Amino acid sequence: MSKVIVVTSGKGGVGKTTTSANLAAGLASLGFRTVAIDFDVGLRNLDLVMGCERRVVYDFVNVIRGEASLRQAVIKDKRLENLYVLPASQTRDKDALTQEGVGKVIEEFKNSGFDYIVCDSPAGIEWGAQMAMYYADEAVVVTNPEVSSVRDSDRILGLLDAKTYRAEQGMDPIKAHLLLTRYSPSRVAKGEMLSYKDVVELLGIPLVGVIPESAAVLSASNAGAPVILDPTSEAAQAYLDLVRRFVGEELPHRFLEPVKRSFFSRIFGGGQEAAYAG
Amino acid sequence: MGFLDYLLKSRNATASVAKERLSIIVAREGARGNGAPHYLPQLKQELLQVLAKYEKIDLEQVTVNVEKDGDTDVLELNVVLSPERTAQRAPVAPRPQPAMPRRAAPKAEAQPGWWER
């Protein structure tokens, strides 16, 4: 049984593409045949974050328009056996994605034995975002502990309940999971940032992961390798936990408490936390 | 910088303000049906089929919502009839009594005006 997962948020810049790349890479590393599809037509970035931007020949829109086959457009990852990427097109044509075309592509992935189809949604609530979520079975709602992000996530949850295939067909609703990113336990402890409990309470969906703010995420995207591939950082471990929870493991959430700092680092600053706190 | 952080600690405890503001927004905008049954879209489709036997209407003009009214949930159905309907011939089938009082402008009513926010 293949599963379609949409990674969505409403608000831009909260970590959808990073999450899509890491979720897909993580699932593939566990042995699941996984494809990540970039729905951000016009502003494709998933290929860059996953480090395959120089290998893009055909894209999602080419496939929908019948200008290329899926096999021609899909890029096989060089690091992970089971990982594939379908890049977005850079066309400015807003109507390039059709509901029927998207449906056909997803169907073809399902029939080709893919276990997971990860749909990286564009920001906003327009057509591209609606197409990314339309055929989803589950959703990862990426949220920052910040007011505008939480509000936008609430809007997205409304769309997931109404403007999707599952909703229209009266099937079981899309299972939505909350993923908090850029979480800073020390700022939460100081009362400067919404806690994960606050956000869970506000949005009313189960928490699937908390990714701490980490310099490793930027380094990883600089290098074009999902952070999860090098599990030394906290962010990588938190993403790995997320993936394992996604496939049914029960794991406690980690990295929720501030790291105890020594007297000297308190006085002089420095160390991990201080580096991103500003 | 570490020392400054320490001094400024308590002055920036704004998370509780954020939570309070959000809880109002999320409750009011209620983007989610908050417990609305998942069969609503299908119910809407089926109601539409029945209504279409008697009246010329389109899907956009039908809203089905579940709203909370105190402790009770209210299933609310609003159908806006086509403006040309008065100009049309008599209905082919007897028209049933509306179950709910018809509202003049349901969409405007559902959304509070900016001054109420």
Side-chain angles (χ1 to χ4, degrees), chain A residues 242-272:
Chain A
L242 153 79
V243 174
R244 288 168 60 189
R245 278 187 208 107
F246 219 90
V247 297
E249 278 186 58
E250 294 216 1
L251 298 167
H253 290 282
R254 296 194 278 169
F255 316 117
L256 301 177
E257 299 303 324
V259 184
K260 291 251 166 19
R261 289 165 64 194
S262 70
F263 177 74
F264 283 104
S265 72
R266 269 170 186 273
I267 300 293
F268 298 109
Q272 277 204 329

Side-chain angles (χ1 to χ4, degrees), chain B residues 39-102:
Chain B
Y39 58 71
L40 273 191
Q42 202 185 347
L43 175 72
K44 190 172 164 180
Q45 287 288 348
E46 287 176 21
L47 282 171
L48 187 72
Q49 283 168 19
V50 175
L51 287 166
K53 285 188 200 166
Y54 302 94
E55 280 287 349
K56 195 182 160 197
I57 40 173
D58 74 281
L59 190 57
E60 296 300 311
Q61 301 301 316
V62 180
T63 54
V64 183
N65 288 312
V66 173
E67 285 180 4
K68 275 226 179 297
D69 185 9
D71 288 339
T72 48
D73 286 355
V74 177
L75 177 68
E76 187 187 63
L77 166 67
N78 276 310
V79 183
V80 179
L81 299 172
S82 153
E84 312 117 54
R85 94 181 245 283
T86 41
Q88 283 174 359
R89 61 190 158 72
V92 276
R95 207 174 307 142
Q97 287 297 311
M100 297 274 291
R102 233 181 266 147

Side-chain angles (χ1 to χ4, degrees), chain A:
Chain A
M1 257 301 274
S2 32
K3 249 187 203 161
V4 183
I5 306 165
V6 60
V7 178
T8 183
S9 70
K11 190 174 182 302
V14 296
K16 281 180 298 296
T17 300
T18 303
T19 299
S20 301
N22 283 289
L23 179 60
L27 288 166
S29 71
L30 296 182
F32 296 101
R33 200 166 193 210
T34 307
V35 61
I37 308 179
D38 190 349
F39 276 78
D40 203 347
V41 169
L43 292 172
R44 80 166 174 232
N45 279 319
L46 184 65
D47 53 337
L48 205 51
V49 172
M50 294 185 82
C52 60
E53 73 279 6
R54 289 165 67 180
R55 297 165 60 209
V56 174
V57 182
Y58 294 108
D59 58 52
F60 195 8
V61 170
N62 291 139
V63 177
I64 286 178
R65 289 184 178 153
E67 295 156 4
S69 71
L70 202 52
R71 192 177 284 266
Q72 284 173 307
V74 167
I75 303 167
K76 190 177 184 310
D77 189 84
K78 288 197 167 164
R79 297 154 299 211
L80 288 166
E81 181 63 25
N82 293 303
L83 183 59
Y84 299 80
V85 181
L86 179 57
S89 129
Q90 287 184 308
T91 170
R92 288 196 201 167
D93 181 5
K94 275 207 316 196
D95 305 318
L97 295 180
T98 61
Q99 190 164 299
E100 193 196 357
V102 172
K104 268 189 192 164
V105 168
I106 287 179
E107 202 53 38
E108 199 174 335
F109 278 124
K110 284 183 175 175
N111 294 335
S112 316
F114 278 85
D115 299 303
Y116 288 99
I117 299 154
V118 177
C119 304
D120 181 22
S121 173
I125 52 174
E126 298 302 314
W127 186 247
Q130 289 181 25
M131 279 303 95
M133 70 171 64
Y134 191 75
Y135 294 100
D137 300 309
E138 300 199 22
V140 175
V141 179
V142 185
T143 308
N144 287 170
E146 178 270 325
V147 284
S148 53
S149 176
V150 174
R151 180 199 229 173
D152 290 358
S153 293
D154 186 57
R155 293 286 312 273
I156 282 291
L157 287 167
L159 291 181
L160 287 169
D161 282 350
K163 297 215 161 186
T164 54
Y165 182 77
R166 280 182 169 267
E168 285 173 9
Q169 298 295 315
M171 297 159 71
D172 288 340
I174 292 179
K175 229 192 263 173
H177 309 268
L178 173 65
L179 177 69
L180 270 175
T181 54
R182 309 197 70 163
Y183 195 73
S184 170
S186 66
R187 302 191 76 183
V188 172
K190 287 181 200 161
E192 294 174 7
M193 184 181 265
L194 288 165
S195 74
Y196 70 94
K197 285 179 191 152
D198 292 339
V199 184
V200 169
E201 195 186 309
L202 285 163
L203 293 177
I205 53 170
L207 185 70
V208 73
V210 179
I211 314 296
E213 173 83 79
S214 163
V217 173
L218 180 59
S219 310
S221 87
N222 286 343
V227 72
I228 206 167
L229 297 176
D230 172 21
T232 51
S233 68
E234 287 189 351
Q237 291 169 37
Y239 267 122
L240 207 52
D241 284 1
L242 153 79
V243 174
R244 288 168 60 189
R245 278 187 208 107
F246 219 90
V247 297
E249 278 186 58
E250 294 216 1
L251 298 167
H253 290 282
R254 296 194 278 169
F255 316 117
L256 301 177
E257 299 303 324
V259 184
K260 291 251 166 19
R261 289 165 64 194
S262 70
F263 177 74
F264 283 104
S265 72
R266 269 170 186 273
I267 300 293
F268 298 109
Q272 277 204 329
E273 287 296 325
Y276 345 107

